[in-house]
Amino acid sequence: MKLDYSRQNTLINHPEYALPNADTAIADSRKFTEYLFSSNNAKGWSKGQAFTSRLGYDKNNYLELKNEILTKAGKYPSTYKGSSIYGNKY
């Protein structure tokens, strides 16, 4: 909880660390259903299994995870890490 408060406070004191366009962010459901939680996707499946074992999210409740990500995206500072064919990474 202390770390959570510290990160949110950092964003308040340094608004330049805000994730660009976080308030209008979208997440395609296929990223969850066809990547993270699909055993047909070797790269995503292992990551999805980590979400399931540690946080309890899976293909049956991925909408809760999606909502959490989109809701919290603007509450914490971000750092630009570069870009790829998929877009900018933070």
Side-chain angles (χ1 to χ4, degrees):
M1 190 157 183
K2 198 174 189 181
L3 179 60
D4 187 59
Y5 174 78
S6 174
R7 287 180 176 161
Q8 289 184 42
N9 200 36
T10 297
L11 185 57
I12 290 168
N13 293 323
H14 298 280
E16 67 273 15
Y17 293 156
L19 183 66
N21 304 313
D23 56 335
T24 59
I26 60 169
D28 191 325
S29 288
R30 292 175 297 175
K31 186 70 164 184
F32 301 90
T33 59
E34 296 176 18
Y35 179 74
L36 275 180
F37 301 120
S38 172
S39 59
N40 295 326
N41 189 309
K43 283 179 91 174
W45 178 246
S46 60
K47 295 171 189 171
Q49 291 301 293
F51 272 98
T52 301
S53 67
R54 290 173 179 84
L55 302 172
Y57 294 110
D58 60 24
K59 65 180 178 181
N60 297 312
N61 63 355
Y62 80 90
L63 289 174
E64 293 173 31
L65 172 61
K66 179 179 171 178
N67 186 48
E68 280 291 310
I69 292 170
L70 293 174
T71 303
K72 305 279 172 87
K75 291 182 71 174
Y76 300 96
S78 64
T79 304
Y80 178 73
K81 302 286 186 180
S83 63
S84 73
I85 60 169
Y86 302 109
N88 295 330
K89 294 181 181 184
Y90 288 89

